[in-house]
Amino acid sequence: MSLKRIIIAGAIGTTFMTLYSYWVSKKEKEQFLEPALLNELAEDAEVLPETGDEETNPIGWAGHYAQGVVFVAAYYYLYRRALQNPTIGKGVVAGAVSGVAGIAIWEIMFRMSKNPPKTERYRYYRQLFVAHLIFSTFAIYGYRLPDYVKQLQEK
């Protein structure tokens, strides 16, 4: 397993997913930003420090990017062929599975929270599903990024 590739792919996928979430949040005038929602959930966790500004606090950002790396590590074990030969179709399939898993994880976190974030969950989950399609597509291509860079250098 190439940890470096997994981290790069996780960062690329998470970045594009987050850009999409920012765009939908602005468009819909709703709080759909995963790091901000994670910071709100962290407020309930007594073992974590106060988050302060929910959009810029590093706890939510670190958790969001770490989860992206975890998803790509799961892809490595479940979809190794998709990572080796990425296509848009493979990204969509991996994203759909990831989207359902992501929605389930968020629902569990919201239910466990004493004071869950105030967001319209159906709309949030709809955008989250699409965000995972974006995440997985960019992540599986991002996994191959070192190969693409090497090919360019050899030319």
Side-chain angles (χ1 to χ4, degrees):
M1 169 168 65
S2 174
L3 183 59
K4 180 180 172 183
R5 284 177 183 264
I6 289 172
I7 291 169
I8 290 169
I12 290 170
T14 303
T15 298
F16 281 93
M17 172 186 185
T18 305
L19 290 170
Y20 172 77
S21 295
Y22 265 93
W23 177 74
V24 174
S25 290
K26 273 217 179 288
K27 182 180 166 223
E28 306 245 346
K29 296 180 175 75
E30 285 281 342
Q31 179 57 285
F32 293 151
L33 307 176
E34 294 85 2
L37 293 170
L38 286 170
N39 280 328
E40 285 187 56
L41 289 168
E43 287 293 324
D44 286 348
E46 291 149 13
V47 297
L48 296 174
E50 291 292 318
T51 59
D53 180 13
E54 64 191 35
E55 285 193 27
T56 61
N57 189 287
I59 290 172
W61 285 97
H64 184 49
Y65 273 86
Q67 189 59 49
V69 171
V70 168
F71 268 95
V72 175
Y75 293 174
Y76 180 82
Y77 289 106
L78 300 173
Y79 309 118
R80 197 166 310 173
R81 290 177 62 198
L83 291 172
Q84 296 304 319
N85 300 304
T87 66
I88 299 292
K90 290 174 185 175
V92 168
V93 170
V97 173
S98 299
V100 171
I103 290 167
I105 292 166
W106 277 100
E107 183 63 22
I108 290 167
M109 290 190 303
F110 285 148
R111 287 181 185 222
M112 291 177 62
S113 175
K114 296 175 204 159
N115 187 23
K118 309 287 186 269
T119 190
E120 167 45 53
R121 286 191 195 170
Y122 174 77
R123 289 172 60 200
Y124 175 62
Y125 293 152
R126 184 181 62 212
Q127 85 75 38
L128 186 66
F129 185 82
V130 174
H132 276 91
L133 297 175
I134 292 166
F135 166 81
S136 62
T137 301
F138 278 94
I140 67 170
Y141 279 100
Y143 185 86
R144 294 295 308 271
L145 186 62
D147 297 331
Y148 303 139
V149 170
K150 186 176 179 181
Q151 287 173 356
L152 288 173
Q153 290 173 342
E154 291 173 353
K155 289 184 179 184

